[in-house]
Amino acid sequence: MSVFTLAIHGGAGTILKNDMTPELEKAYLDGLQLALDAGYAVLEEEGSAVNAVKAALVILEDNMLFNAGRGSVFTKKGVQEMDAAIMDGSNLEAGSVAGVRNVRNPIELAAEVMRNSNHVFLSGKGANDFAIKQGIKLEPDEYFFSQFRYDQWKDIRDSDNYSLDHTHQQLEELMKDKKFGTVGATACDKNGNIAAATSTGGMTNKKYGRIGDSPLIGCGTYANNNTCAISCTGHGEMFIRAVAAYDVSCLMEYKNLSLQEAMNIVVNEKLVNIKGEGGMIGVDAKGNAALIFNSEGMYRGMKSSAGAEYVAIYK
Ligand code: ASP
């Protein structure tokens, strides 16, 4: 039996202790802990890494604090369009969705694409049609509405700007209603199988069907038992250009680097060189985990049968 491990994130960015109230900090840490416990319970009960990352993400998607599922940001058109992906490192199966609307848990839909379609990546209306056909839970627009997200969008909707959910300019605004972050999880189960999952509402005021790195296999999400399972968060355009998640896997496969070494190169050298702010979490098939970011903070947590456990926000 291998060491089993779960790592999660709830987004990275300019997250400073000075900008945080004790109540807000507690709400984030509690939200992370809940997701960590849910995912870890699956691993403890002999569940698969795939089911563990899914369980953790459903909890984070249902939490209004995070920019995924229920808490997703508004697009230029004033709606929520969500992206998600999941990958099983034991067989390289993967499922992704982009630009889906009214889906309560986009990660469930991505998993359904992986298991029960002949495809890997579905988008827009087609993905929604597939959700209906497969009986995936939908919610009305009101479910996704929050005054804060609306106000955040109203401020920039008449401009051509789009923004990450956690840039410094927005921080004071964000703090009023206390929300941030794309969500992700990576797990290694008792059988040494690994998996990764990522889910996001993307960027506020995004338009033209913009899709970030999160649902792109190899960019924001990747898993392969021979190397690593990775989930990214940050400025998606840069993570796409860096093919960030797969680059970690390549460094491990072709250069024999450890998970920590490979992630460190991608996050603190390659992404920094192209001004790609953010971070990533990863596990390998031995149950090692790493959580690395080049921003001020990253909502994150990990728990391992080897004994380590924590949830954290700042550097
Ligand atoms: N990477 C996500 C995107 O660009 C955003 C985030 O991580 O918060 O869509």
Side-chain angles (χ1 to χ4, degrees):
M1 189 182 78
S2 353
V3 169
F4 53 100
T5 303
L6 178 76
I8 60 168
H9 72 75
T14 309
I15 307 162
L16 300 167
K17 190 160 179 72
N18 282 349
D19 296 312
M20 196 71 94
T21 64
E23 297 75 29
L24 180 55
E25 194 175 286
K26 183 174 181 318
Y28 273 113
L29 293 173
D30 288 352
L32 289 168
Q33 189 66 52
L34 221 77
L36 198 60
D37 291 345
Y40 193 77
V42 173
L43 297 177
E44 258 182 330
E45 290 152 19
E46 324 266 326
S48 67
V50 166
N51 285 340
V53 292
K54 199 152 65 75
L57 251 62
V58 163
I59 301 278
L60 294 168
E61 285 179 337
D62 288 347
N63 187 334
M64 266 292 193
L65 286 173
F66 300 100
N67 173 20
R70 186 168 202 180
S72 293
V73 297
F74 281 81
T75 66
K76 178 86 179 164
K77 288 191 172 147
V79 296
Q80 286 76 30
E81 290 175 0
M82 300 168 284
D83 306 333
I86 189 162
M87 187 160 183
D88 182 343
S90 70
N91 52 19
L92 303 186
E93 285 183 3
S96 299
V97 292
V100 296
R101 297 202 45 206
N102 300 98
V103 174
R104 182 185 172 109
N105 293 110
I107 200 61
E108 299 268 20
L109 182 56
E112 196 62 23
V113 171
M114 176 169 78
R115 278 193 304 257
N116 293 317
S117 79
N118 294 319
H119 309 296
V120 169
F121 198 175
L122 302 182
S123 71
K125 182 163 182 323
N128 269 90
D129 290 346
F130 181 69
I132 292 166
K133 179 170 164 280
Q134 300 303 113
I136 295 287
K137 195 154 203 251
L138 302 180
E139 297 287 355
D141 288 350
E142 301 78 72
Y143 172 82
F144 300 89
F145 182 89
S146 73
Q147 195 59 46
F148 160 69
R149 292 287 187 213
Y150 185 77
D151 293 345
Q152 184 186 8
W153 167 67
K154 225 172 49 183
D155 284 348
I156 61 169
R157 71 178 167 186
D158 295 327
S159 72
D160 273 341
N161 294 340
Y162 63 94
S163 69
L164 262 186
D165 197 27
H166 29 251
T167 53
H168 196 48
Q169 299 92 296
Q170 288 189 318
L171 205 62
E172 274 170 26
E173 283 297 306
L174 285 166
M175 287 307 146
K176 282 189 205 150
D177 226 73
K178 313 162 176 64
K179 293 165 204 167
F180 281 119
T182 289
V183 303
T186 57
C188 174
D189 64 28
K190 286 184 179 172
N191 296 317
N193 290 320
I194 62 177
T198 314
S199 181
T200 186
M203 292 167 111
T204 299
N205 215 35
K206 65 183 182 181
K207 60 182 178 178
Y208 306 132
R210 181 263 184 193
I211 298 167
D213 60 313
S214 309
L216 296 181
I217 298 304
C219 297
T221 308
Y222 187 71
N224 180 339
N225 272 12
N226 294 326
T227 52
C228 57
I230 301 286
S231 170
C232 302
T233 173
H235 195 161
E237 278 67 9
M238 309 308 159
F239 283 72
I240 293 172
R241 289 164 53 196
V243 199
Y246 186 60
D247 201 20
V248 175
S249 175
C250 287
L251 286 167
M252 293 177 72
E253 183 172 356
Y254 304 127
K255 282 196 133 184
N256 263 320
L257 298 189
S258 70
L259 175 72
Q260 179 91 24
E261 288 165 342
M263 282 172 63
N264 197 35
I265 288 175
V266 174
V267 175
N268 288 320
E269 293 176 27
K270 293 192 172 196
L271 281 165
V272 167
N273 287 344
I274 56 169
K275 298 195 167 51
E277 188 190 354
M280 56 173 71
I281 56 169
V283 300
D284 65 19
K286 292 195 191 93
N288 296 309
L291 300 86
I292 298 185
F293 51 100
N294 61 34
S295 46
E296 294 293 342
M298 179 166 80
Y299 298 105
R300 63 197 187 277
M302 69 83 71
K303 187 168 181 175
S304 162
S305 62
E309 177 178 1
Y310 69 87
V311 287
I313 300 176
Y314 318 106
K315 254 191 190 132

